[in-house]
Amino acid sequence: MNNIVNIVINDTPLQVAEGTSILHAAKMMNVHIPTLCHHEDLCVAGNCRICVVEVENDPNLVAACATPVRENMHILTNTSKIRTARKHILELLLTEHNINCIKCSHSNSCELQHLALEYRSDEEIFIDLRKPSRTDVSSYAIQKDDSKCIRCTRCVRTCAQLQGVNALTMANKGNLAKMSTFKEKPMAEVVCTNCGQCINRCPTGALTERTYIEDVWNAIYNPKKHVIVQTAPAVRVALGERFGLKSGHRVTGKMVAALRAMGFDSVLDTDWSADLTIMEEGTELLSRLKKVLVDGNTSTVLPMFTSCSPGWIKFVEHIFPEMIPNLSTCKSPQQMFGVLAKTYYAKKKEIDPANIVSVSIMPCTAKKYEANRSEMRDSGFQDVDYVLTTRELASMIQQSGINVLTLKNETYDSVMGESSGAGVIFGATGGVMEAAIRTAYELVTGREVPFDELRITPVRGFDGIKEASLLLENTTEEYRFLEGVELKVAVAHGLANARNLVQAIKDGLVSYHFVEVMACPGGCLGGGGQPIPTNIDIRAKRMDAIYKEDEKMSYRKSHENQEVLTLYEEFLGKPNGELSHKLLHTYYTERNRY
Amino acid sequence: MATELKRTELIFREDIDHSALIRKIMKMGKDSFITELIESGLKGRGGAGFPTGLKWKIVKEDPNPVKYIICNADEGEPGTFKDKEILEKASEKVIWGMALAAYITGAKEGYIYIRAEYKYLSTKLKIAIDRMESHIRTLGINFKLGLIFGAGAYICGEETALIQSMEGRRGEPTNKPPYPVNKGYLDRPTVVNNVETFVNAMIIADIGAEEYRKLGTKASQGSKLFSISGDCSKEGVFELEMGMTVQQFVDEFGDGDTKAVQVGGASGFCVPRKEFKNTIIGFEGVPTGGSMKVFNSSRSMYNILENYLIFFEEESCGQCTPCRVGTQQLLHGIRAVKRKEKPKIYLDELLRLAYTMKYASKCGLGRSVGNAFRSIIENFREEIVY
């Protein structure tokens, strides 16, 4: 229990818990202090110094973000000394910063630009220190432009603290200090998982997604091409933010209408292939359980890890290559969709797959990399041609001149457009697990999961690592070998949590049958391609929206998705069948650790 | 005013039985010695001048069972070489001083963080450490001491950056609070003292606070080693009483044509001739970690300032804006004024920036860059402009 201390901010007394930062205390009384290096999700750095304030009896200014309040502290937040310092600091940052704002894709979310406007920094006081630099475009997903970096280290802290990846780090010192990678290698060659969390937290445009907007427009404008689009579950709960709607406002129908109006030939849903993923992954889990529990097969390992999150996949390949056998061989929903679009869909619609351009709208930057993996060409073509983030879609909608908010709701096309609530919740941490349990439990016992309204609450929420167990009783004939088994599962989101969980599994401290990992905090709803800014409140609202979307669906379980069942009937045969294996499953590669 | 300098011969005195001294302190009791140390007025000899007794007291009173003693031997201030001299000639006293700190505070482990250039001293130090460890064990005190070498960054002389470096991290200062006395090396309470400070603690253990206080002035007690270089009649390391004026110093060490003295190295103050008489070297005037650079009239103050700023531009850790960009702006700024690319009133803008750096920087480095800058610009403006 913290002690309460008495402080005074700008003549107003306030009681706050000891240890609260000045910044936080000021916020509690609606006093705004500008920040740049500070981010709610990250540890305190205190290095940009823009938040300096005056404390009585201290000759120096102190950083509000990094200074805890103490009893009888008198704080001033707007004095001549503070203003001079802040203005100087801002000017100093601007002398290093590439201020070609008009050409910057993060212009609308740039915190430095907002501050420059706030302080009306219209004249250059100091000498231009900008150095020419070349943007690192080696990665399929993430671009790094050092000329826009203000050395706030948010990206470095994101990569280390939230993601435990450490691909980004500060290099050199003094005037040469810069955000860099191991030995300044290109982003494509380092341990980067392409999760894009750094992009979401970069206060400027130093880190951005690699964009494919022009390619997509060109495909749409090309009359010979049949351009189809799939939208991931988490996009619909965040896209509205870019059009002034509150976080968590669902825009599914309007998004579908906009995509159709923009000229996509068919607007389809990744939720559909999420349901398909459950069929494949659930079957794989049950067959692994049988191999281990009944056949005593030693080459089969448990727990099985989910494989929907491409950031997580690359993380395992880099950091825990010895755990690759634990990864489900199922492709992610995006890639299952992609390969079926150019096989099943093409056949059904009688279109030459060579003329199909497959676009996906993702909350994710790692999906851009995933689509470009050489093994993702089982259709005979690149299965998914272009991946756009939620942010890029927003830009395209703006470019198209469509007023998305005035559009009437429309529904997805068929085939590959139908989905269940289980597919929707893939967008939230714990969602894949919940969807899998809803189906697997029913498959094994013939009954619905014993949770009110199918809400499997133990795997929901924002705890870094969640655990649950479920007793399997009165099993059906086929799954009698699971009778009395307590199915143990775990869920982690954010790669730092994943790292801890995998390490604990490796060390034998914990054991599970099935583990879901999402690379991003909160799962896909907090993905690296989502609208900026991000924080826990925004993510919580998006999560609420995901579960609301689930509850409004007429089907809530993946195995009830009629279009998925038709797919098996007409094309694939059965889950984990021969064709499934050829098209829907994949393999992984060990990668370097730097 | 007496013009003669008071020399002292305490630091390099050789007739001390360290082990006996520790026994004496053990008899005296930890609290009494801390009182003694506080009364002696000893302030950290690295330059910042935090009261040593208070530092030890805070660590002693911390209930944490694991504590550390760290000797800061990352001597990097331009023009300072007195720690090297101590480690060469009186390493025993440093090591025993650390043992004393360990005994007082209850630390069981310590490290000497030493700059890589002093690696040649490592054998000598290791022998002395072994001897101290076995001696002190016979007194019932367990204290293990190790050596850690720096990697050449000036900033790692700043105590929190030093600790970061020891922990294998990037050598960058951290936010204060928490201070190392509460949360230092491996998040444990830690005493970080300069080489000379540990020696002074041993001197106080030997002669007592009363004797010690007789040296120096009210604000700056004791004696101090000075690293003297530049245009001087004699150069090297000298032990002098604190509290002399720059005039006294120049009379003794100057070459007869002294224009300015840089007290405290690149992060210290430049004292011009007209201020020699009324500037005291010590915490009441211009503090110094020991560096004294003497410049005669043949020197260009522009070149000196430019040199310092090149040093800072490179040696700033680069994390905080005022220091990283500020140092560059000051350097480019004076060059621009010299080249007439900026008007001479631009120097006033730079002076204001130097104040911002002082107020708003994260650590002592950024806060003190402005010292040399302001004292040179304010006193030798014409040399910068023309």
Side-chain angles (χ1 to χ4, degrees), chain B residues 40 102 138 154 184 202 273 334 348:
Chain B
S40 76
T138 62
Y154 170 73
M202 285 302 277
R273 188 181 289 152
I334 61 161
D348 298 321

Side-chain angles (χ1 to χ4, degrees), chain B residues 144-162:
Chain B
K144 281 200 70 65
L145 195 51
L147 288 181
I148 290 181
F149 290 94
Y154 170 73
I155 190 60
C156 289
E158 199 277 346
E159 57 180 357
T160 59
L162 182 150

